[in-house]
Amino acid sequence: MRHQGMLALLLVVPCALLCLERTPVRAAAREPVFVGAQACGKCHDGPGMGHQYSKWLLSRHARAYASLSLPEARPIADLSGIPGDPHDSPMCLGCHATGSDVEPWRRDATFRLADGVQCEMCHGAGSEYMEMAVMKDRQAAMMAGLMMPTKQSCTRCHYVKGSHAAVHKRPQIDIEMAWKKLAHPTPQKAPAEAPAAGAGKAAPPAGPKYV
């Protein structure tokens, strides 16, 4: 009986090792890092992409970090209980600068905090989905960290803050209107026009049509 047990063990161990050898080793998923709007703009601009990067440059999102230098930033910070420079406040930067709440190693050399509210604030750190081959496959891009925001995503920052309302006196943002204004879909390619009748046929020989 003991010999039978040893024999079974000798048969099982090689089989287990063989299975381990044939099991593919998957590389550990890399932690995505923020690459910055300028890196996104290398592809997401021009007429073929609906001038997405240029539209962002013209937006208030692109000036969100710079707005912390405006005169009204100081009284807003005071009312919020922030004694220091708003540019150094995690509370301010959380809604005025993408990637402000991550460790420095998660910001690529191409990333600039001063570029304000950038693409990756809504779409997630882009290092792992920015390659063209990944971006063309929505499922692969989502698995690599791409996020598609909803209107609810906007309310993380865009809600009534007493300190802000007391200083700038602006009405509560209309999310529906802002969503339409900020929309930046990739233009659909127009379908190719059908060739005109007779296109591609050899031209008739010169000369009178009737004899």
Side-chain angles (χ1 to χ4, degrees):
M1 191 72 177
R2 182 179 177 184
H3 292 295
Q4 291 178 346
M6 290 293 292
L7 180 60
L9 183 62
L10 290 173
L11 290 173
V12 168
V13 171
C15 290
L17 292 174
L18 183 61
C19 290
L20 286 173
E21 288 178 0
R22 292 185 177 181
T23 302
V25 178
R26 295 184 179 179
R30 293 187 296 182
E31 185 75 15
V33 301
F34 291 85
V35 297
Q38 293 184 32
C40 302
K42 291 179 179 178
C43 292
H44 289 270
D45 208 8
M49 296 301 292
H51 303 284
Q52 293 168 338
Y53 177 68
S54 295
K55 287 180 179 178
W56 169 79
L57 285 174
L58 294 170
S59 73
R60 292 178 65 182
H61 279 158
R63 303 190 300 273
Y65 180 88
S67 71
L68 297 176
S69 298
L70 294 173
E72 54 264 37
R74 183 66 263 162
I76 288 175
D78 291 338
L79 288 172
S80 301
I82 300 168
D85 187 339
H87 290 95
D88 299 325
S89 167
M91 184 182 295
C92 299
L93 291 175
C95 286
H96 283 261
T98 300
S100 62
D101 57 347
V102 302
E103 296 182 35
W105 67 265
R106 286 201 63 203
R107 301 180 200 139
D108 192 74
T110 59
F111 182 85
R112 283 170 29 94
L113 201 69
D115 285 339
V117 176
Q118 307 175 51
C119 320
E120 293 161 295
M121 176 71 91
C122 300
H123 293 293
S127 64
E128 303 308 299
Y129 65 75
M130 66 184 292
E131 295 296 331
M132 184 65 71
V134 180
M135 283 295 288
K136 286 185 174 181
D137 184 335
R138 175 58 63 84
Q139 183 178 359
M142 299 285 280
M143 291 179 65
L146 174 67
M147 299 188 300
M148 300 305 293
T150 64
K151 296 171 188 175
Q152 187 65 31
S153 308
C154 305
T155 61
R156 184 175 72 86
C157 286
H158 292 288
Y159 61 92
V160 176
K161 303 180 180 80
S163 58
H164 292 59
V167 175
H168 59 50
K169 310 293 184 182
R170 295 187 191 126
Q172 166 64 5
I173 187 171
D174 185 330
I175 295 293
E176 293 291 336
M177 186 179 297
W179 186 264
K180 293 177 182 178
K181 185 177 179 180
L182 291 173
H184 48 276
T186 303
Q188 297 292 326
K189 292 183 178 179
E193 295 183 1
K201 294 182 180 179
K209 188 174 181 181
Y210 303 101
V211 177

